Amino acid sequence: MKYSVDENGFYGKFGGAYIPEMLHPNVEELRENYLKIMQSPDFQEELQALLKDYVGRPTPLYFAKRLSEKYNTQIYLKREDLNHTGAHKINNTVGQVLMAQRLGKKRIIAETGAGQHGVATATVCALMNLECIVYMGEVDILRQAPNVARMKMLGATVVPATSGSRTLKDATNEAIRDWINNPEDTYYIIGSVVGPHPYPDMVARFQAIISEEMKWQLKEKTGSENPNYVVACVGGGSNAAGAFYHYLDTPEVKLVAVEAAGMGVESGESAATSVLGKEGVIHGSRTLLMQTEDGQVTEPYSISAGLDYPGVGPMHAHLFESKRAIFENITDEEALQAVLELTRLEGIIPALESAHALAALSRIGAKPDDVVVVNLSGRGDKDLSTYLDRFQLNG
Amino acid sequence: MDNRIKTLFEQKPQGLLSVYFTAGYPNLEDTVPIILELEKNGVDLIEVGMPFSDPLADGPTIQQSSDIALRNGMTIPKLFEQLKNIRQQTQIPLVLMGYLNPVMQYGVERFCQKAQEIGIDGIILPDLPLSDYVREYKQVFEQHNLCKIFLVTPQTPEKRIREIDSHTNGFVYMVSSASTTGSTTGKAVANTDYFQRVRQMELRNPSLIGFGIHDNNTFSQACQHAKGAIIGSAFIKALAQEGTLQENIQSFIQRIRN
């Protein structure tokens, strides 16, 4: 079984580049060049230096002792929350901004849900002195206010997406429309393993640093580079793609992808795409998609803005269909409990997105000697107002 | 096999006006009345939009008309139901335009079959890439006598324009400038180098210019560079005016043709 992308941009039957002709030259330019550029020594040198000294990599692999005792297994947290800007998203934006420079682009656009990708994009644009426009759903602007403030502070223009459900899907639509209207000078930094080929593959490759480090870190700590489980949350799926990447062809490592169930999978207010979706086309990619019988995209729901997406990256659709990954889903309530648990057991406040992965610990059936790595994709600062409210800690 | 689009271009070589509207807008049952009224007012070709929740290539006007049409209850089966007797009423060339996902869910083959039964002449699906079309669907479209119409843009390289021209029939849809639909910046007809370039390529297919064509001025300029032009967003705005469908359509087409 092959889990990486094929020459036509497909993972099994998922993927491809279903884009209007207006985007064809840009996507084609990227497709022709991305591997060549990524593999060139000067690119790698610049990227590795930034990842080390600017982003702060390698991120620690932390043995969570009290959490391990609670679940009676060996739990390690891959601390992506300790990256500069507070999430794994910057692994990708550092890479893509260097890509944009190599392609001679002057203007950067991005979509964002929770705001972590928007902040990570605004950050690298400030660093590289590039104009930055971030599209963000109106609903998300309200629920992730601290990240909006950070983007503005960094000099980015935050444009509210006011169509549809006014969340990540709609922000992505608006970013794509911007790209159609600005085909010459603009580079679109997609934040997840979604979109037309080559984006899913390129973003997965930039995020693959997560599992690359995990391997040698586990080797040092446990004597084996392979854990029994890798657990990660999935919206579009970039942190999971990175955490799974170097284990895809190692079947003894169980990969657990955790989706957001929202108010419950059957409630009508959910974002659990693998359960609720069927094959379709969204944002340039053939994948699993939440939709009506008539093929209209359904508005998803999750308390977590970063997981509130009706599709999933084509790589994950393929991991689901081929049963290479185990898909779980976690409700808002369960995720919130996991936030509080990690905070009080380990002194780490996780992002709502990452809390979905933590909440799946009780589901996976790990044995006492099993090694479980949870990808702690982001920190919870952006969610503090939600937490204070839900845990009744105000005043 | 005869196809009304091919016949149209043979019989009327210049100044063609093609009008797009979103099926189910402003009201669910307006589809057939709009088609008949457009024909009565001398429109040459009609593009019937199949609304989609996430129309990537469209600007705000068509996004909104699509939202309203969907809320009114428009679906592909509903549209086919409305159009089932259309050929007893008019012979104007009809093109269905929409996005791939709803058509995929309906089933591409079933969709083509039904379209042929009704007497549809062409299909535009902007997010169905040429390579997938050639690999998976071309045979089905051709078997059902449907012209699959593709877009080209100012950024499309010559080689690709030739490739598109070789796999398509009916006409080549020249997107006037780099934009989503409904732009009124005036860029629409400014790109004369591009129009010239495509004309000099002497393609197999005739071409029509669309995107940003919104008044008599932009329409007549577009007609100088191609066989005619396509109007969408401006027409949808006209439908939203005070007055009956008949009044709005008549005065809009008069303004364009002038």
Side-chain angles (χ1 to χ4, degrees):
Chain A
M1 199 71 195
K2 187 169 177 282
Y3 300 103
S4 52
V5 79
D6 72 18
E7 61 196 321
N8 294 315
F10 283 86
Y11 301 84
K13 62 179 172 179
F14 301 110
Y18 296 85
I19 45 168
E21 191 61 30
M22 294 80 107
L23 292 178
H24 188 269
N26 274 322
V27 171
E28 190 59 17
E29 179 186 34
L30 192 59
R31 192 188 64 79
E32 279 174 3
N33 291 294
Y34 83 110
L35 288 177
K36 225 179 336 185
I37 291 174
M38 283 179 80
Q39 284 156 6
S40 71
D42 70 304
F43 181 90
Q44 277 304 324
E45 195 181 321
E46 199 175 348
L47 176 64
Q48 296 310 330
L50 281 169
L51 287 175
K52 178 170 180 282
D53 297 329
Y54 187 71
V55 175
R57 301 204 72 92
T59 57
L61 184 74
Y62 165 70
F63 177 66
K65 184 160 173 287
R66 296 186 67 202
L67 196 66
S68 296
E69 281 164 9
K70 164 96 203 256
Y71 289 97
N72 195 25
T73 189
Q74 311 299 311
I75 299 171
Y76 289 83
L77 302 177
K78 181 59 175 161
R79 297 292 307 275
E80 291 301 300
D81 61 317
L82 292 178
N83 282 322
H84 179 39
T85 70
H88 71 291
K89 291 291 187 188
I90 198 161
N91 301 331
N92 169 47
T93 61
V94 164
Q96 284 204 55
V97 84
L98 296 179
M99 183 71 63
Q101 285 184 323
R102 298 292 191 286
L103 294 172
K105 308 289 179 177
K106 305 280 179 242
R107 181 175 174 273
I108 301 293
I109 57 171
E111 85 297 337
T112 197
Q116 289 300 128
H117 175 59
V119 168
T121 304
T123 298
V124 296
C125 287
L127 179 69
M128 301 297 175
N129 192 26
L130 291 167
E131 184 186 358
C132 178
I133 296 108
V134 179
Y135 291 88
M136 187 170 188
E138 244 181 359
V139 169
D140 294 337
I141 286 180
L142 290 176
R143 61 178 162 173
Q144 307 279 226
N147 275 345
V148 177
R150 291 164 80 196
M151 286 185 269
K152 288 182 177 164
M153 186 72 196
L154 288 158
T157 306
V158 180
V159 182
T162 58
S163 58
S165 53
R166 294 169 291 140
T167 58
L168 179 54
K169 163 180 87 85
D170 312 286
T172 308
N173 288 342
E174 292 307 326
I176 292 173
R177 290 184 184 120
D178 179 307
W179 209 18
I180 288 174
N181 282 283
N182 297 283
E184 309 276 1
D185 62 340
T186 298
Y187 182 94
Y188 179 17
I189 300 191
I190 294 186
S192 192
V193 286
V194 301
H197 177 65
Y199 277 105
D201 184 50
M202 179 172 65
V203 176
R205 284 169 187 266
F206 283 132
Q207 292 294 358
I209 183 82
I210 299 172
S211 48
E212 189 186 314
E213 289 173 4
M214 270 161 52
K215 286 183 103 165
W216 63 258
Q217 289 171 323
L218 279 171
K219 177 92 181 163
E220 273 180 19
K221 289 182 198 296
T222 70
S224 166
E225 52 183 33
N226 296 339
N228 299 89
Y229 296 88
V230 179
V231 186
C233 65
V234 173
S238 70
N239 90 78
F244 295 169
Y245 196 87
H246 291 285
Y247 294 116
L248 288 171
D249 297 316
T250 313
E252 60 267 34
V253 179
K254 296 188 184 74
L255 308 175
V256 184
V258 186
E259 295 181 312
M263 315 280 270
V265 169
E266 304 299 333
S267 69
E269 300 289 335
S270 180
T273 306
S274 70
V275 185
L276 300 169
K278 53 184 178 161
E279 191 179 336
V281 169
I282 185 171
H283 298 144
S285 178
R286 188 187 285 231
T287 187
L288 293 172
L289 170 63
M290 289 168 56
Q291 55 185 313
T292 65
E293 204 181 313
D294 192 43
Q296 309 298 338
V297 181
T298 313
E299 294 180 5
Y301 165 79
S302 165
I303 191 173
S304 146
L307 304 182
D308 199 351
Y309 185 69
V312 64
M315 169 182 148
H316 295 298
H318 182 53
L319 293 178
F320 174 74
E321 288 244 332
S322 64
K323 301 193 163 59
R324 172 66 188 95
I326 304 156
F327 277 66
E328 294 283 350
N329 58 77
I330 292 296
T331 63
D332 290 356
E333 217 43 60
E334 292 167 322
L336 284 164
Q337 285 315 307
V339 167
L340 205 53
E341 183 177 88
L342 187 73
T343 305
R344 299 293 166 86
L345 285 177
E346 300 286 349
I348 298 170
I349 305 175
L352 266 170
E353 289 75 15
S354 321
H356 285 72
L358 292 163
L361 281 168
S362 62
R363 303 266 184 91
I364 59 177
K367 296 191 280 290
D369 291 337
D370 282 350
V371 171
V372 180
V373 179
V374 179
N375 196 34
L376 196 66
S377 56
R379 68 182 187 220
D381 304 37
K382 69 186 177 59
D383 298 312
L384 278 179
S385 73
T386 305
Y387 295 165
L388 291 175
D389 207 35
R390 297 297 282 257
F391 302 135
Q392 297 178 346
L393 296 170
N394 281 316
Chain B
M1 264 189 290
D2 278 349
N3 178 295
R4 293 175 198 83
I5 297 173
K6 290 181 192 162
T7 313
L8 171 69
F9 281 98
E10 281 160 19
Q11 290 176 349
K12 188 172 175 184
Q14 271 310 321
L16 270 65
L17 173 59
S18 177
V19 170
Y20 167 96
F21 73 97
T22 308
Y25 174 88
N27 300 298
L28 182 60
E29 299 298 339
D30 286 340
T31 313
V32 172
I34 290 175
I35 291 173
L36 297 179
E37 197 61 29
L38 283 170
E39 189 202 21
K40 201 169 105 190
N41 284 279
V43 165
D44 298 296
L45 193 154
I46 298 173
E47 294 170 26
V48 182
M50 302 176 285
F52 181 48
S53 54
D54 295 77
L56 285 183
D58 287 301
T61 304
I62 294 178
Q63 287 173 44
Q64 278 158 23
S65 67
S66 301
D67 279 350
I68 292 170
L70 290 173
R71 253 181 276 144
N72 288 343
M74 184 48 74
T75 62
I76 290 176
K78 178 76 193 165
L79 179 61
F80 283 154
E81 175 65 25
Q82 289 177 343
L83 294 178
K84 73 177 176 202
N85 296 320
I86 194 73
R87 286 308 176 203
Q88 292 160 23
Q89 297 166 281
T90 172
Q91 292 306 313
I92 191 166
L94 289 173
V95 171
L96 297 180
M97 180 166 186
Y99 289 80
L100 179 59
N101 196 54
V103 175
M104 254 175 76
Q105 304 310 319
Y106 190 85
V108 175
E109 185 147 10
R110 183 176 161 225
F111 178 86
C112 290
Q113 200 180 340
K114 195 77 191 167
Q116 184 185 25
E117 267 171 46
I118 288 169
I120 299 298
D121 305 289
I123 308 287
I124 307 177
L125 300 169
D127 58 345
L128 172 61
L130 183 68
S131 55
D132 279 59
Y133 170 71
V134 173
R135 200 170 53 232
E136 288 183 49
Y137 303 125
K138 188 179 172 185
Q139 211 191 340
V140 182
F141 277 76
E142 289 183 349
Q143 190 191 326
H144 293 286
N145 196 24
L146 294 165
C147 296
K148 175 68 180 73
I149 292 146
F150 282 93
L151 278 54
V152 305
T153 82
Q155 282 75 34
T156 311
E158 179 169 337
K159 187 169 161 238
R160 188 165 167 86
I161 296 180
R162 295 243 177 251
E163 204 185 338
I164 287 169
D165 186 46
S166 76
H167 287 296
T168 190
N169 42 37
F171 63 93
V172 170
Y173 191 136
M174 286 175 73
V175 175
S176 62
S177 67
S179 74
T180 42
T181 56
S183 153
T184 49
T185 53
K187 280 193 301 183
V189 285
N191 209 335
T192 50
D193 287 355
Y194 155 58
F195 300 142
Q196 285 266 331
R197 179 162 59 83
V198 176
R199 192 156 59 175
Q200 282 164 4
M201 286 176 68
E202 297 184 350
L203 302 177
R204 292 169 54 231
N205 289 287
S207 50
L208 296 177
I209 296 175
F211 283 47
I213 311 300
H214 61 276
D215 56 12
N216 174 258
N217 186 31
T218 45
F219 175 69
S220 29
Q221 286 188 56
C223 286
Q224 291 169 20
H225 300 289
K227 299 287 183 194
I230 303 162
I231 299 187
S233 298
F235 178 66
I236 286 165
K237 281 185 195 156
L239 288 177
Q241 301 294 307
E242 294 275 319
T244 64
L245 276 185
Q246 282 77 5
E247 288 161 3
N248 288 338
I249 292 173
Q250 192 180 14
S251 74
F252 181 77
I253 303 301
Q254 274 174 4
R255 268 208 318 280
I256 299 299
R257 291 281 201 194
N258 191 16

